[in-house]
Amino acid sequence: MSKTERERSLAVFIDLENLAMGFQGHRKIRFEVGKVLERLVEKGKLLVKKAYADWSRYPSYTAPFHESAIELIEIPKRSQTGKNSADIRLVVDAMDLAWSKPHVDTFVIVSGDSDFSPLVSKLKENGKHVIGLGMKGSTSELLRDNCDEFIYYEDLERQEENEQRLATNLNSYLPPSLNEKQREVFSLLVEACNALRRENHEVLYASMIKDTMKRKKPSFDESYYGYRSFTHLMEDADNLALVDIERNPKSGTYVVTRICGEGEDRSPGTIAARPSDSADSRPASRSGRGRSGNEGQGGGHRR
C-alpha cells in the first residue's frame, strides 16, 4: 500500500478567535466544529485536537468543543497579554509536537490568519503535510497558497447537504425488506467509500473502507449488524449493486472498484433506480455469488 493510501495521523489546531471574526456578518452565526471533524476523519486518525481562545468571550462554544474531545487552551484577555498571544501559543504547541511526536505526519491549521504562514512553511520543512481550513471571505491568500491543501468551511456545508441527499436517495433505493440496522450499515459503507474517493483513492481496499467507517463511527462492528466478517458485508453491498467489488490478485482480499452512481450522468448525491427484484435481475446474481432470501444478514451460509 502506497504512502498516500496509509492512514494519516492528524493534529488539529483551532484559532477560534480568528474564526469567530470571520463569521461576523456571515449568514452562519456560529462555527460548527462537528462539520470540521467529520471531514478530517476522512483523512486519517485525529490524535491531537486543541483550540485556542479567551473562553470567557465564547462560552457557547465550550460545550460542543468538550463533546468533541478538544482540549481548550485558555488565552487571557488581549489587554493582559498582547494582541498575538493565541497565535504565539498555537505556533509553540505545533512546533513542539512536530519535533516530539514524529509519528504525527499531518497538521491542520483551522484559521485564515496570514500570521500562520511561517508556521506552515516550517512544518513542511520538517516533512509534515499541512492542511488549512477557514472561511472564504476572511482567509489570507498567503496562508491558503502555502498549505498543501486548503478546505473552505463553506464547502463543508455543501458536502453535508450532498450527504443528506445521498442518504435519502439511498434509503429509497434499498429494498423495502431490509431492516433499519442493514440500512444504517449500508449508508455508512457508501459514505465511507465516497469519503475515500474525495481523498483521490482510485482503488478502495476493504481494510481502508473499514478503517474509515470506524473513524466515522468508532463503535462500528459488523457483527452488531449481523455479519460474521466484513467480507460478508462487502458481498451483500455488491449484491445490492451499492458497490462493485473484485479480488485483489496479490492479497486475495476485496477491493471496491465502483460505487453506486459513479460514471453515470446524474447530479451529485443521486442514485440510480434500484434494479428490478424479478428473478432475472435480482441484485444477488451480480457477482456470481448468488444467494437466496435474506442470507446476507449474519452471513451464516457463507463458505
Side-chain angles (χ1 to χ4, degrees), residues 160-173:
E160 183 180 50
E161 292 171 358
N162 288 337
E163 288 178 349
Q164 290 174 349
R165 189 180 309 116
L166 177 62
T168 300
N169 292 331
L170 183 64
N171 191 55
S172 61
Y173 168 86

Side-chain angles (χ1 to χ4, degrees), residues 33-42 46 159-160 163 216:
V33 71
K35 292 180 181 179
V36 173
L37 300 182
E38 285 172 12
R39 179 67 178 92
L40 294 178
V41 296
E42 297 176 356
L46 305 183
Q159 177 184 320
E160 183 180 50
E163 288 178 349
K216 282 181 165 291

Side-chain angles (χ1 to χ4, degrees), residues 239-270:
N239 290 336
L240 289 168
L242 295 176
V243 295
D244 286 350
I245 61 176
E246 61 183 38
R247 293 281 185 183
N248 183 297
K250 294 183 179 179
S251 66
T253 58
Y254 283 132
V255 297
V256 169
T257 57
R258 183 175 174 275
I259 313 167
C260 57
E262 282 188 339
E264 300 177 28
D265 188 16
R266 294 196 304 278
S267 58
T270 61

Side-chain angles (χ1 to χ4, degrees), residues 103-124:
H103 62 281
V104 178
D105 54 25
T106 302
F107 283 68
V108 183
I109 309 300
V110 184
S111 176
D113 194 339
S114 61
D115 290 348
F116 290 118
S117 186
L119 169 64
V120 173
S121 298
K122 184 59 66 173
L123 288 170
K124 291 166 66 176

Side-chain angles (χ1 to χ4, degrees), residues 161-216:
E161 292 171 358
N162 288 337
E163 288 178 349
Q164 290 174 349
R165 189 180 309 116
L166 177 62
T168 300
N169 292 331
L170 183 64
N171 191 55
S172 61
Y173 168 86
L174 292 171
S177 58
L178 294 185
N179 60 42
E180 287 303 312
K181 282 187 177 181
Q182 290 174 303
R183 291 175 181 275
E184 178 184 337
V185 73
F186 288 135
S187 178
L188 182 60
L189 174 66
V190 172
E191 186 180 330
C193 290
N194 283 324
L196 289 166
R197 280 286 193 254
R198 279 193 290 270
E199 293 303 305
N200 300 315
H201 295 290
E202 292 298 326
V203 179
L204 311 183
Y205 296 91
S207 59
M208 293 167 55
I209 297 170
K210 183 174 181 177
D211 286 344
T212 303
M213 292 171 72
K214 288 187 73 67
R215 290 199 304 270
K216 282 181 165 291

